[in-house]
Amino acid sequence: MGDDQTTLRVNSIDLSGSVADGPGVRLVVFFQGCDKKVKCVNCHNPSSHSMRGGTAMTVADIVKRLEESPIRRVTLSGGEPLAQSEEGLFRLVQTLKADGFEIALYTWRQIDQVPARILQRIDWLKVGEYREELRTSTSAYVGSSNQRFFKVA
């Protein structure tokens, strides 16, 4: 799996160690492209909206970049990770899990819209669209009170 040439579009990869994108110190892959018809007001990552921007990277190249860090927790965010090729995202999650990474997935969608084969390989999930009128700073890892962040069983 380490030589996977499946391509995904990446806005950026944060190797600095985020504490805002899930439990513990985490690496973050911000995918390029958000397929939400009406963009979230005050989205914290508007540069990731365009489906055409970012950089095309292979699964192998993404994993190689993440392996540069000793941190073994990663959050897949966006844009919208589920706007990527399902096969590509699955291969990335599968490879990261095999390499011992703890994986969180952030999506504006609901849990029933996360493909089962991906859901079975992640550790944490954030679901729900950001809603400015429900903005909160008291719930960990979510921006609005309608969103849910939880451990995947």
Side-chain angles (χ1 to χ4, degrees), residues 12-143:
S12 63
I13 297 176
D14 182 356
L15 300 177
S16 67
S18 171
V19 295
D21 295 290
V25 178
R26 310 185 75 79
L27 309 173
V28 185
V29 178
F30 292 100
F31 287 101
Q32 184 67 41
C34 180
D35 56 354
K36 190 169 183 290
K37 302 254 188 280
V38 177
K39 302 304 181 211
C40 300
V41 174
N42 291 326
C43 171
H44 80 279
N45 203 3
S47 70
S48 69
H49 288 181
S50 170
M51 298 299 281
R52 298 179 191 201
T55 303
M57 293 181 73
T58 66
V59 166
D61 287 339
I62 295 169
V63 172
K64 183 177 179 183
R65 284 288 311 280
L66 296 172
E67 288 176 338
E68 292 172 8
S69 172
I71 298 169
R72 285 296 178 259
R73 294 183 189 105
V74 63
T75 296
L76 307 177
S77 190
E80 172 54 59
L82 296 176
Q84 301 291 314
S85 134
E86 181 181 327
E87 185 62 26
L89 188 60
F90 170 72
R91 288 176 181 256
L92 178 62
V93 168
Q94 183 179 38
T95 303
L96 290 171
K97 184 55 73 177
D99 284 352
F101 280 86
E102 178 192 274
I103 304 165
L105 176 70
Y106 275 41
T107 179
W108 64 264
R109 295 182 169 108
Q110 296 302 314
I111 190 169
D112 63 343
Q113 296 172 298
V114 179
R117 66 186 186 155
I118 292 172
L119 192 61
Q120 293 165 354
R121 288 169 176 83
I122 62 174
D123 302 285
W124 299 94
L125 181 63
K126 194 269 319 167
V127 294
E129 64 182 74
Y130 173 75
R131 295 182 46 197
E132 179 69 15
E133 69 274 14
L134 299 175
R135 186 170 191 255
T136 181
S137 59
T138 60
S139 298
Y141 316 122
V142 301

